[in-house]
Amino acid sequence: MALSPIHIGNGNSLTSIGEYIVAGSNVRVIDQEFLYETLKENKLTKDYIDHITAKGVNTNIWEFFRDKKIEKDLKYEREIALNVPDFNPESNNLLELGAK
């Protein structure tokens, strides 16, 4: 059992389960270290893991951040413009970015 959020990957394949959010036609890649510290400081780590587990793979984590009132505290590693209309992170949860 994991006691904290775990990130596994190369940074080029992201999921909407806590790795990115969509803001208009842009993807914002969440700073994972800062997210972990924010969750820890607000005693939300277990709630975060429970939310992800309950929602499954097709979730938009923004609702969790908004409901817990930490959405304004988040920091992002980078922002990427999308060239697709109507991108829905709940139905397109795997995002391939290509090389950094």
Side-chain angles (χ1 to χ4, degrees):
M1 178 171 119
L3 299 177
S4 65
I6 297 173
H7 174 82
I8 299 172
N10 62 8
N12 294 329
S13 297
L14 304 174
T15 69
S16 59
I17 307 173
E19 292 186 311
Y20 71 85
I21 62 159
V22 175
S25 62
N26 294 321
V27 168
R28 292 180 180 163
V29 180
I30 298 169
D31 181 323
Q32 294 296 303
E33 288 182 37
F34 187 81
L35 174 60
Y36 171 72
E37 290 302 321
T38 300
L39 294 171
K40 193 167 104 176
E41 288 171 13
N42 290 283
K43 297 181 172 59
L44 293 172
T45 305
K46 183 180 181 324
D47 291 346
Y48 179 75
I49 293 170
D50 289 347
H51 178 85
I52 290 171
T53 303
K55 293 286 184 173
V57 294
N58 292 320
T59 187
N60 181 346
I61 199 63
W62 186 254
E63 89 182 22
F64 175 84
F65 298 146
R66 187 190 62 235
D67 292 347
K68 300 300 182 180
K69 300 185 182 355
I70 61 170
E71 77 276 13
K72 293 178 183 167
D73 298 332
L74 296 176
K75 290 188 179 178
Y76 306 99
E77 292 180 2
R78 58 186 165 152
E79 187 165 325
I80 304 154
L82 293 175
N83 294 320
V84 294
D86 303 322
F87 180 77
N88 179 354
E90 291 183 32
S91 63
N92 300 300
N93 82 339
L94 184 63
L95 182 63
E96 293 287 339
L97 300 178
K100 278 189 175 180

